[in-house]
């Protein structure tokens, strides 16, 4: 099964895929690090950096959350 680390922007109700893997332990490690460092942003249509509100690991075929990262 493949999993996806996604970032969520609560203000705009947008999930953005960051990385996909079948190794959930790897995604937990990556997600924990980026959440701790607050190093990932999404670019808005106005070309501004917007921080994600939280990160989740979801199944890639249906986006059911399987792990809360931040």
């Amino acid at each position: 099964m493949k999993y996806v680390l996604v970032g969520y922007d609560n203000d705009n109700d947008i999930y953005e895929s960051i990385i996909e893997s079948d190794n959930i332990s790897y995604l937990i490690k990556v997600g924990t690090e980026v959440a701790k460092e607050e190093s990932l942003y999404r670019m808005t249509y106005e070309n501004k950096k917007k921080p994600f509100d939280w990160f989740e690991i979801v199944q890639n075929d249906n986006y059911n959350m399987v792990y809360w990262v931040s």
Side-chain angles (χ1 to χ4, degrees), residues 22-60:
D22 57 356
N23 185 339
I24 195 167
S25 297
Y26 171 72
L27 293 179
I28 292 170
K29 180 179 176 183
V30 171
T32 302
E33 287 301 312
V34 297
K36 181 172 53 174
E37 296 173 8
E38 299 180 3
S39 58
L40 282 180
Y41 297 88
R42 71 175 204 84
M43 296 303 291
T44 68
Y45 65 92
E46 301 155 336
N47 210 24
K48 295 181 181 177
K49 288 183 178 180
K50 174 96 169 109
F52 290 106
D53 293 296
W54 64 75
F55 298 93
E56 300 174 8
I57 296 172
V58 298
Q59 296 173 344
N60 76 332

Side-chain angles (χ1 to χ4, degrees), residues 4-8 16-20 30 34 40 52 54-56 63:
V4 183
L5 174 65
V6 296
Y8 182 69
E16 188 167 311
S17 297
I18 298 166
I19 188 171
E20 182 177 311
V30 171
V34 297
L40 282 180
F52 290 106
W54 64 75
F55 298 93
E56 300 174 8
Y63 263 55

